[in-house]
Amino acid sequence: AGRDGASRRHRGAVNGLTVPASLASPRRYLLSASGDFVKLHSVATEETVRLLRGHAELVTGIELNPQNRLQLYSSSLDGTIKLWDFTDGILIKTFTVGCKLLALYTHASFEDSVFVIIPKRGERDSFQLVSVKLTKAADQEIEAKELSVILDGVDKSPKHTAFGREGEYVASVKELELQVYFFKQKQINRFSLSATSTKGGNNRFTCVACHPQEDCIATGHSDGKIRLWRNFYHNKEYTFSTMHWHHDIVMDLAFSVEGTSLLSGGIESVLVQWHNGSDCKKDFLPRLGSAIQCISVSPDGTSYCTSHTDNRITIISSNLRFSRSIQGLIKARSVKTGVVVDPRTKALVLNGEPGHLQFYCLQTDKQLYSLDIVQQEYIHQEGLNQLDLVKVAFSAQGKWLATVEEREDDTDLELQLKLWVYDEETQSFKLNTRINMPHEDHITAMCFQDTDEVEDDSAMLVTASKDCLFKAWVIVEDTDPEAQQSVSWSCDFVGSYHSYQATNCCFSEDGSLLAVSFEETVTVWDSFTWDLKCTFCHPPGKIRNICFGRLTCSKYLIGATDHGFLCCWNLLSCALEWSAQLNVLVLQPDPLSEHIAAVSWISKDSSLFVFKPNEPRPICIQRNLCKEKIQFAVFVPRDIPETTVSEKYLWLRRSQLFFLTNTQELITLSTKPPEERLTPSSKQLAVEESLPMTPFSLLLGKHRHQKSQEDADLGKVLVHSQHNQDSPAVKELLHTPAHVLPSASFLCPIFINSLLTSKEDKSAEDVADEVEMESKDSEDDSDEERDIAEVEQDDQIPMDFWGETTCRLSKAEERELRKIRKMDYSWISSF
């Protein structure tokens, strides 16, 4: 997001699941950090209604402006703090701090300052809480260099620091120490705990929250205990009480607005509400789906918000009733299936909840649905060997879905291959065939005969395994009279090569050839006769990835080895066309073009290389794509090809490339320059359908509709007003909210200059307007002169209007239309 073609990150909900979401007041919106932008969600519809773009790195903190609840502060690793009008999507100011910002805090007691956590200079893994003074200059970009250190040696997590009553103190926890800094006295009190309690509990601090009206600090601990600290103004006379329900680490704490209750959450997926600091009075909201990472409270206290380890945001009413759930891309325990595209919905399909496949819509950033593959209850207990979903593949048209499950213990391996057929009635997949132990060892790869020319009813599936075999599975008619379906899947061919383990497999574009890699060797088979056509070898190193070229490059086969070589073989000459030394982790062809994307891991950075097999020189190199290791990549076809794409990124015109990192971040490439990716100031928040319209808006809308209908009926083209409406200065005046507009003295020259036109560049429309003005001023001219004027006007060249040619009305016709417009037709309403 910082430069043309740089990566953009999608998480669907909360960054790293440690940045708490914010419920905006009134309770219509929820704000969350997602990658390098901030999302504005509608609480009523659960939709993402706006993206606040502008940061060049990960957003690490979001806080409502205490002085104006319609404004938002955001911090980022790019070293800037940005002030937004989030309802209109307008970036008001950017404060440049100049170092990485890891957390952000605001408080109503500090009008011109915010607080951030930054790395300590010259020391590794050491962080400071500092105050940043925000100057009130008129410039949109301001350097904020006035920093004051508040606390040293703090934890970088936002949950480890909290501000107390009326901003009198700030509390911060790290490991086994609690620090409290008092602003007026400029005094620091420190309180330490032993590593373990007398009963063997783990006393390590995990989070902290401060009571909004009393001098009370709540801390969470690794053993599930919650401590309430009081009288901490004195180092030796402090007291604390203990509450205990969680059986494991307390993930986060939050007080209600009045402070009458304390909220806590952990890995039990249960929100606990403690009343009046008592261990006896508590309420529960269970079965929230996954571990609770963060808890937020709305400014009016009527709603709570929890974010979870599976990347879900849950909105809860203050009486502990479930209200809404905003689910983006589910963060699974691990992604073993890879990332594939559903041909029907163009959704990304990968591991979701345990034993499930998630279908994630990229356009709406929401989960379409979840498909239960394992169909067994998952037990949340460490050390249990349970069935795990490890492979997935779709047929060309999306009618068939193949999945592989496995469970392994010390002595035994359990495998299941399942074939699912799409049911038009239920609009979901239904299990067709279950094959127990399709191979004797782990299945390493699986693919369908991927071509649109082959009907799904005659599709073929190939599986490769460590048992040194690959198998071809085909559809056969089911002869069992008691069978519920007419067809099922059966093994058609078993192949091997010198008892080597089969590691990869893929079909050519037309489906006539099958490539299977056996350790260091690639074999090419005829998929109709199962004859071995040729073999390719490139030692040393096992083949890590293989793929066929497409379209004009279909005669090439590409392979990558784990010893850092990328090879291209010519299938016609059966020879090595070219090779390059590159440590390729991911090799992904574009299904709609000849381009192939290769992702490498070089010096702790992932880099992208895009090439055509017939040209060894890459057409695009994007170094330092991200710091994380990219596990999977996939091309997603666009519904409409991009038209405004820079020459460097023409290869992204028909498809969009997505990456999934080892930390389960979803990253894509942007084809637009930074200035186009920033939220435009003229972009207004669309009125939600669920919100009632005011009488004034209804009246204004009706008036506008009547006016547009009037103009359409008269056929009058307002050419002279078109120029003014297109003026950026006019758009700025009409569409920008008044409270963020610059001064009138600044806007006036721009507005006046936008109305000036050069005489030399006078267009046909201007000439026509002058003729019209002259005819108005000479109403007493003779009919002959008027006729001459009409003839001259009719001889004018037709004007272009948005690419279309529109002829002008004659002066006589315009006069008639003006007379009709002035007439009073109100008497018709009586009929």
Side-chain angles (χ1 to χ4, degrees), residues 229-454:
W229 301 73
R230 291 183 173 87
N231 201 28
F232 43 81
Y233 281 90
H234 307 281
N235 267 325
K236 297 182 179 180
E237 298 177 11
Y238 70 92
T239 61
F240 66 78
S241 58
T242 304
M243 303 183 299
H244 196 186
W245 179 86
H246 298 277
H247 79 275
D248 208 321
I249 179 174
V250 180
M251 294 284 199
D252 200 16
L253 295 168
F255 279 98
S256 62
V257 172
E258 299 84 4
T260 54
S261 61
L262 174 68
L263 302 168
S264 66
I267 67 170
E268 303 87 1
S269 308
V270 177
L271 182 66
V272 185
Q273 187 177 38
W274 309 80
H275 297 283
N276 300 319
S278 171
D279 203 2
C280 302
K281 298 179 181 179
K282 52 184 176 289
D283 296 321
F284 305 94
L285 180 62
R287 295 183 292 276
L288 292 178
S290 63
I292 297 173
Q293 286 277 24
C294 293
I295 304 172
S296 297
V297 180
S298 65
D300 57 5
T302 58
S303 298
Y304 306 142
C305 170
T306 58
S307 59
H308 302 259
T309 53
D310 65 353
N311 213 23
R312 178 191 290 117
I313 295 177
T314 303
I315 302 171
I316 302 162
S317 59
S318 57
N319 59 358
L320 236 58
R321 299 280 183 178
F322 174 86
S323 178
R324 293 282 191 276
S325 178
I326 299 174
Q327 176 68 75
L329 185 67
I330 295 177
K331 186 172 183 180
R333 292 176 305 153
S334 61
V335 179
K336 297 181 179 179
T337 60
V339 182
V340 297
V341 178
D342 177 14
R344 290 179 176 270
T345 61
K346 301 297 186 293
L348 291 187
V349 181
L350 63 158
N351 289 106
E353 298 175 20
H356 289 65
L357 276 181
Q358 61 169 315
F359 288 69
Y360 171 71
C361 180
L362 292 163
Q363 287 72 32
T364 60
D365 188 21
K366 293 181 69 176
Q367 184 185 151
L368 295 181
Y369 62 95
S370 181
L371 183 63
D372 188 358
I373 301 297
V374 173
Q375 297 180 341
Q376 290 184 9
E377 188 68 27
Y378 182 81
I379 301 173
H380 294 271
Q381 183 175 335
E382 294 292 335
L384 288 182
N385 291 323
Q386 304 181 69
L387 275 174
D388 203 3
L389 184 59
V390 295
K391 290 288 183 291
V392 61
F394 284 92
S395 61
Q397 286 87 21
K399 181 179 180 180
W400 291 98
L401 167 66
T403 61
V404 175
E405 306 159 27
E406 69 176 31
R407 172 166 50 199
E408 184 179 20
D409 55 29
D410 296 335
T411 59
D412 195 17
L413 172 67
E414 182 181 345
L415 284 178
Q416 283 191 1
L417 172 63
K418 291 180 180 178
L419 281 303
W420 307 73
V421 63
Y422 188 79
D423 189 352
E424 295 289 348
E425 292 184 3
T426 60
Q427 295 289 296
S428 185
F429 286 92
K430 183 173 65 175
L431 183 61
N432 174 270
T433 305
R434 185 201 308 266
I435 303 169
N436 289 318
M437 294 305 296
H439 288 272
E440 297 300 321
D441 206 338
H442 294 278
I443 293 178
T444 56
M446 179 172 63
C447 66
F448 277 94
Q449 198 171 17
D450 191 13
T451 170
D452 293 332
E453 296 177 1
V454 176

Side-chain angles (χ1 to χ4, degrees), residues 46 92 107 125 183 189 224 264 270 295 303 316 345 356 422 431 471 566 592 634 644 658-659 736 792 807 816 826:
E46 305 172 16
I92 302 174
H107 199 281
D125 295 331
F183 287 95
N189 287 351
S264 66
V270 177
I295 304 172
S303 298
I316 302 162
T345 61
H356 289 65
Y422 188 79
L431 183 61
K471 295 183 179 182
L566 180 65
L592 301 181
V634 63
T644 56
F658 288 86
F659 310 95
T736 305
E792 290 178 352
C807 297
E816 288 299 319
S826 60

Side-chain angles (χ1 to χ4, degrees), residues 710 714 813-829:
E710 233 177 55
L714 291 175
E813 290 171 334
E814 289 186 3
R815 284 198 299 274
E816 288 299 319
L817 290 176
R818 280 197 293 270
K819 290 178 182 178
I820 293 172
R821 177 178 285 181
K822 293 178 180 178
M823 293 180 66
D824 184 13
Y825 293 99
S826 60
W827 55 273
I828 298 178
S829 61

